[in-house]
Amino acid sequence: MEPVILFFLLGVAGGLARTDMKFPTALYEALTIYLLLAIGLKGGVELAKHPLLDAVLPSAAVVLLGVAIPLVAFPILLRLGGLNRADAASIAAHYGSVSVVTFAVGAAYLNRLGESYEGILTVFLVLLEIPAIVVGIALAKGVGKDVAWGRLVREVMFGKSIFLLLGGLVVGWFAGLDGIAPLDRLFFDLFKGVLALFLLEMGLVASRQLDVLRRFGPFLAGFAVIMPMISAALGLVTGLLLGLSPGGMTLLATLAASASYIAAPAAMRIAVPDANPALSVGASLGITFPFNLVAGIPIYHKAALWLTGGDA
Amino acid sequence: MTATRKLLTIICETDLETRLGEDVMRLGAHGFTVTDARGRGSRGLRDASWDPTANIRMEIICEERVAETIAEHVRAAYSDNYAMVLYMVDVSVLRAEKF
């Protein structure tokens, strides 16, 4: 097992044992900023190796993927789950949007296996954050009706996750591999250690979500495992059509399967205040996040190898 | 030397900070102070372990009329859907023209 995941499990164990260990909010914030920036930088450096124009078509396909996932999730939540419109839309937005840390763990998993992936995946990460949130808000409110879209788009675009990922991407792209070299120690070498710390904290937080799921029953728990599989399948097919490497397909599937708990909760809390955040965050962080870490990523990797005719 | 003003305190979710700040200034406050907070209430434990469970405490010193306006607006606009506590007390202030 990827060692950073053990830190996550340690956090969960600590939370269940009601340890008094607690990350100060400022540290949580600082770790988040570091991870977002480092992932952006890494992607920017990779992106600089290829002509930018090559990225246009795949990017468009990935945006469509980001629109499709919440549209698949919404009717399932509304009809099968019997959730109200606001909750269904909010959860759909969380599942369409992405988890940066799941992506980072996926990348670490591939690195350990010596499997490479395309640098453009980091661009996909940024692109996938936004469309699902917009779709989710539209599903909850209807298009045009009392939604201050201008303000909302500004808040999402300049929320820390998009701003830092995109910012890192641009800096990395301009600086290139040589330009970024002096920063390597901080942003690349230390990355995994910081990721481990962050996962410890996420384990603590995730363990507190399980309570919510006990209250809201088996449907949501089932959804939180099955929906990522459906999304991952969509991601794998998109990756196959785009001609990505097995590593690239794995990460795209991981992105599709992951559910947001940074950008989406903040946006939905403001845009769809009547949705219960305990449901969406409970499902995405309490179940989907650990599921992807422990089981999902290896499954998506196997599936990618199988689809591309490699040895699975 | 001192004058009496209202101290309106709003404890609510961190997610509301930007909006609340804008609302408060629009409704006639001359300023406010925000601190991070955590606690427990009808919406469970808000332990500030990460963004969605973080609270703020916003304190506004202003004239009674303004405090009432802000309190009424905040109650109507947010209290149904957000974790929130509001209260006000009289305070004696120096330099009353600031508030």
Side-chain angles (χ1 to χ4, degrees), chain B residues 2 16-17 19 22-23 25-26 32 35 38-39 42 44 52 55-57 60-61 67 71 75 88-89 91-92 95 99:
Chain B
T2 61
L16 279 181
E17 180 173 340
R19 293 202 170 203
E22 290 169 9
D23 290 353
M25 296 308 281
R26 182 167 45 79
F32 56 82
T35 42
R38 59 180 189 271
S42 62
N55 279 1
I56 55 162
R57 174 171 55 200
I60 307 139
I61 300 174
R75 195 195 57 75
M88 47 180 111
V89 290
V91 288
S92 299
R95 297 189 295 159
F99 312 103

Side-chain angles (χ1 to χ4, degrees), chain B residues 2-77:
Chain B
T2 61
T4 302
R5 292 287 183 274
K6 283 289 179 195
L7 166 61
L8 170 63
T9 305
I10 306 169
I11 301 170
C12 68
E13 300 178 19
T14 301
D15 287 334
L16 279 181
E17 180 173 340
T18 315
R19 293 202 170 203
L20 216 49
E22 290 169 9
D23 290 353
V24 161
M25 296 308 281
R26 182 167 45 79
L27 294 172
H30 293 173
F32 56 82
T33 303
V34 175
T35 42
D36 291 327
R38 59 180 189 271
R40 183 187 280 279
S42 62
R43 289 174 187 260
L45 182 65
R46 311 246 340 134
D47 61 0
S49 58
W50 65 315
D51 294 353
T53 63
N55 279 1
I56 55 162
R57 174 171 55 200
M58 180 177 282
E59 292 171 309
I60 307 139
I61 300 174
C62 56
E63 286 172 5
E64 180 162 6
R65 180 181 47 82
V66 175
E68 303 271 351
T69 313
I70 294 171
E72 180 47 33
H73 164 76
V74 169
R75 195 195 57 75

Side-chain angles (χ1 to χ4, degrees), chain A residues 208-217 220 278-279 282-283:
Chain A
R208 292 194 201 102
Q209 309 300 323
L210 296 171
D211 219 31
V212 175
L213 291 160
R214 217 172 294 142
R215 271 188 286 147
F216 292 101
L220 206 56
L279 292 182

Side-chain angles (χ1 to χ4, degrees), chain A residues 42-165:
Chain A
K42 199 179 281 184
V45 169
E46 288 296 322
L47 201 62
K49 293 178 186 164
H50 306 283
L52 212 50
L53 217 58
D54 291 355
V56 174
L57 182 73
S59 297
V62 165
V63 169
L64 281 181
L65 177 65
V67 171
I69 293 170
L71 291 177
V72 172
F74 182 66
I76 298 177
L77 291 157
L78 197 65
R79 304 246 187 285
L80 288 179
L83 293 167
N84 69 43
R85 200 175 174 82
D87 283 331
S90 170
I91 298 171
H94 281 70
Y95 277 79
S97 190
V98 291
S99 149
V100 174
V101 174
T102 310
F103 175 84
V105 173
Y109 177 83
L110 292 176
N111 283 338
R112 212 164 52 94
L113 294 179
E115 182 99 73
S116 64
Y117 57 89
E118 291 81 354
I120 198 174
L121 261 301
T122 312
V123 181
F124 293 170
L125 166 69
V126 179
L127 288 174
L128 277 171
E129 287 238 41
I130 311 162
I133 293 175
V134 176
V135 171
I137 295 168
L139 286 171
K141 300 251 169 178
V143 185
K145 269 189 299 176
D146 66 58
V147 184
W149 283 105
R151 169 171 197 163
L152 219 55
V153 168
R154 194 191 70 215
E155 279 177 4
V156 175
M157 283 300 291
F158 294 102
K160 68 179 166 212
S161 66
I162 308 260
F163 179 75
L164 287 170
L165 277 173

Side-chain angles (χ1 to χ4, degrees), chain A residues 25 151 160 201 205 269-270, chain B residues 13 22 48-49 51 81-82:
Chain A
T25 314
R151 169 171 197 163
K160 68 179 166 212
E201 157 77 353
V205 176
R269 199 71 198 103
I270 290 299
Chain B
E13 300 178 19
E22 290 169 9
S49 58
D51 294 353
N81 292 317
Y82 295 94

